[in-house]
Amino acid sequence: GKSMLLRRTGKGKRSLGAVNAFVLGAFSKCVATVLTYPAIRGKVMCQSRGTAEAKAKVDGLLDAMRQIVRTQGPQGLFQGLPQQLTKTVLSAAIGLMLKEKITQAERTFAAALLRMAKEA
């Protein structure tokens, strides 16, 4: 993750550049979303009311996931994934990039305050 990228870029850096932070945020959120999406689909089915999917009685998350696979096949567990990836990956990538930029600005500001305090 972040520490590996910082070691590769070297030079004693404490934070990532904007592009590296964006890519790392996008990649990590993409992996997390793909791995958890079948459970999210099952949860939505458990919580839905009044839809065609909800008419079949669902007894918990695993039962909901089994019903999705039975009626739609394994690919049904990933129905809607591209839209979810677009939404969550972009927001996570921008969020991590902004966090890194704010952290850099805080360090720069703190260093400037220390220099001013030493000079006074």
Side-chain angles (χ1 to χ4, degrees):
K2 178 181 174 181
S3 58
M4 182 182 73
L5 276 175
L6 288 174
R7 278 194 303 271
R8 283 189 175 184
T9 57
K11 302 171 194 145
K13 289 185 177 181
R14 291 180 157 191
S15 59
L16 297 173
V19 173
N20 283 338
F22 185 88
V23 170
L24 183 62
F27 178 74
S28 61
K29 188 60 176 184
C30 183
V31 170
T33 301
V34 168
L35 292 176
T36 59
Y37 196 74
I40 293 168
R41 272 280 281 145
K43 181 184 89 162
V44 168
M45 186 174 174
C46 288
Q47 293 173 340
S48 62
R49 300 283 181 251
T51 64
E53 279 184 332
K55 289 184 181 169
K57 188 172 185 309
V58 176
D59 293 322
L61 179 62
L62 290 177
D63 185 47
M65 293 171 68
R66 278 190 211 103
Q67 284 187 30
I68 291 170
V69 171
R70 197 175 319 121
T71 59
Q72 301 171 19
Q75 68 274 13
L77 292 172
F78 296 94
Q79 180 181 347
L81 179 62
Q83 296 85 352
Q84 184 72 14
L85 283 172
T86 301
K87 181 177 75 172
T88 60
V89 168
L90 192 57
S91 66
I94 290 170
L96 186 58
M97 182 179 71
L98 288 173
K99 178 197 164 290
E100 287 296 320
K101 284 301 191 186
I102 290 169
T103 301
Q104 287 174 355
E106 287 174 340
R107 286 192 180 119
T108 302
F109 183 67
L113 285 177
L114 285 173
R115 277 193 305 275
M116 287 176 19
K118 287 180 182 178
E119 292 171 359

